Amino acid sequence: MEETYLLNVEGVRKKILHGGQGELPKLQDGSKITFHFQTLKDDFERTVIDDSREAGIPMEIIVGKMFKLEIWETLLSSMRTGEVAEFWCDAIHTGMYALVSRGMRRIAEGRDPLEGQKHRCGMGNMFDYHSTGYDDLDELQRTPQPLIFIMELFRVEEPSAYKRDTWAMSKEEKLAAVPVLHSEGNRLVLRKEFAQAAAKYQEAVICLRNLQAKEKPWEEGWLKLERLVTPLVLNYCQCQLELGEYYEVLEHTTELLQKHKDNAKAYFKRAKAHAAVWNEREAREDFLRVAHLDPSMAAAVKKELKQLGERMRKKHVEDRKRYQGLFQPPRGP
């Protein structure tokens, strides 16, 4: 089945390769579209540039979330579920494809798609960075040209029909999600499901960090969000202590203390992590800071220091025995 259509968009032609089912989907802001795509050059060989099937994972975009290649929303809105179609798009619609492809390739490689980018629009980054890191994309960037997109539409989900990823949420949705995630994390802690609780706290922190990125550091809006972040990070660290992820705790508490030098709870959790990995001096220093900053925690600090001393004495005895065994001459037959 091959029928050619002219969409009501300048510089776009559509050819249906396999018919779909049902009505055309009604897209709205927040709808999630799942599809496979193949990008080809408009040359004699129809050179393949990208193919989502090679990665084995379909592409997903959220309508209205400023996907850099706006024409894709238009193309997909003309398709029915299960349809396979080929679109020829003039260069006026494909100028940003090199940057879009660069991000998708980096994600497929397990890298940060924004690695090395400045906080600017995509076009600004194109002029700042003269290479995408991929020779074929550099060619497209230097010489925008018509491209062919072959797409297979799998499904369109309404915003209420799927769990929204953090990046796809609006500011209001992120702020509303944080207390819910915090509460879910607390409930999981009571059930001693620490890994699942840590994931809830982490998701809430990501929501807030995304919002903070749009605020000026240390101004009121940024500080208001930071006050919400701090207890979530501490709860996350407590879960990691329970899970034995001590170096994870050291990393996050140290980062927190660089901003909040008087946070006794952060020192306390870092001290416990230091003690767990046998950093005796650092653990004692942090425990003593806790007692100085918050006298109400003095009893807990005293108990922890006593346990630390006992553990270190036991370790020293075991070490001596181990080393003595290394240097004793072997017994005769």
Side-chain angles (χ1 to χ4, degrees):
M1 175 181 184
E2 292 195 4
E3 299 180 34
T4 302
Y5 296 86
L6 289 174
L7 301 185
N8 295 323
V9 179
E10 181 185 357
V12 176
R13 294 197 301 268
K14 175 182 178 180
K15 182 187 294 183
I16 296 178
L17 306 180
H18 184 279
Q21 301 172 347
E23 301 295 325
L24 288 174
K26 295 179 181 179
L27 303 182
Q28 58 179 299
D29 281 1
S31 295
K32 181 164 75 172
I33 309 174
T34 305
F35 60 100
H36 265 309
F37 76 94
Q38 191 178 49
T39 305
L40 305 92
K41 287 186 178 181
D42 185 23
D43 57 14
F44 181 77
E45 295 83 5
R46 288 169 62 97
T47 306
V48 176
I49 301 172
D50 290 308
D51 189 340
S52 63
R53 293 184 185 279
E54 290 185 357
I57 303 173
M59 180 71 180
E60 294 179 348
I61 62 174
I62 306 297
V63 175
K65 294 301 177 183
M66 296 192 299
F67 186 67
K68 289 178 181 175
L69 204 64
E70 296 178 9
I71 192 63
W72 273 17
E73 287 187 14
T74 303
L75 306 183
L76 291 162
S77 69
S78 75
M79 300 178 68
R80 292 174 167 81
T81 303
E83 180 179 323
V84 181
E86 177 179 306
F87 299 91
W88 178 90
C89 295
D90 198 359
I92 58 173
H93 301 297
T94 63
M96 293 297 293
Y97 185 78
L99 280 184
V100 172
S101 176
R102 171 183 182 245
M104 292 188 294
R105 291 184 186 186
R106 288 191 170 198
I107 291 171
E109 294 165 3
R111 299 164 62 192
D112 182 355
L114 300 179
E115 178 185 323
Q117 269 197 31
K118 297 181 180 178
H119 188 67
R120 296 179 58 185
C121 67
M123 191 62 69
N125 278 297
M126 279 181 68
F127 288 116
D128 275 344
Y129 302 96
H130 302 295
S131 175
T132 62
Y134 304 93
D135 292 341
D136 58 338
L137 299 183
D138 287 345
E139 179 193 343
L140 290 180
Q141 186 168 288
R142 286 191 299 268
T143 312
Q145 55 193 270
L147 294 175
I148 297 169
F149 302 111
I150 300 176
M151 295 179 161
E152 179 180 2
L153 178 62
F154 292 134
R155 59 184 172 274
V156 175
E157 298 171 87
E158 300 304 316
S160 59
Y162 66 94
K163 184 180 183 298
R164 308 284 296 279
D165 291 327
T166 298
W167 63 266
M169 294 181 180
S170 66
K171 177 180 179 180
E172 292 72 22
E173 288 171 332
K174 288 173 183 172
L175 287 172
V178 167
V180 175
L181 291 167
H182 198 159
S183 178
E184 289 177 354
N186 292 347
R187 178 177 57 81
L188 289 164
V189 166
L190 292 174
R191 292 164 53 179
K192 299 189 182 301
E193 297 177 14
F194 298 112
Q196 295 89 331
K200 296 294 182 182
Y201 295 136
Q202 185 178 46
E203 189 175 350
V205 169
I206 290 171
C207 284
L208 295 170
R209 291 296 190 209
N210 286 344
L211 294 174
Q212 264 191 322
K214 299 175 183 177
E215 302 285 343
K216 194 167 182 179
W218 301 106
E219 292 197 351
E220 183 54 37
W222 188 93
L223 289 170
K224 185 177 179 180
L225 293 167
E226 185 68 17
R227 286 191 285 270
L228 297 174
V229 166
T230 300
L232 288 163
V233 173
L234 291 172
N235 287 0
Y236 173 82
C237 288
Q238 183 60 42
C239 291
Q240 297 303 323
L241 281 173
E242 298 287 351
L243 294 167
E245 299 290 345
Y246 304 119
Y247 290 102
E248 181 92 353
V249 177
L250 291 175
E251 177 185 348
H252 288 286
T253 50
T254 298
E255 182 182 350
L256 191 63
L257 287 165
Q258 288 172 349
K259 300 175 185 174
H260 311 286
K261 300 184 184 300
D262 297 332
N263 192 304
K265 291 182 179 179
Y267 278 118
F268 190 76
K269 296 185 192 304
R270 190 172 76 170
K272 288 176 71 70
H274 274 309
V277 296
W278 308 105
N279 296 337
E280 182 180 13
R281 179 178 60 80
E282 292 87 347
R284 289 186 180 280
E285 289 176 355
D286 279 353
F287 278 132
L288 292 174
R289 284 196 189 99
V290 173
H292 174 73
L293 291 169
D294 188 351
S296 68
M297 298 181 70
V301 167
K302 184 177 180 181
K303 179 181 176 181
E304 292 290 341
L305 286 171
K306 181 179 178 182
Q307 290 178 352
L308 175 63
E310 291 171 354
R311 288 183 68 241
M312 296 307 300
R313 281 192 293 274
K314 184 177 179 181
K315 182 177 184 297
H316 293 326
V317 170
E318 291 174 351
D319 287 346
R320 278 200 300 273
K321 289 180 179 178
R322 187 179 303 114
Y323 294 137
Q324 285 172 357
L326 287 175
F327 294 107
Q328 286 179 350
R331 294 183 179 181

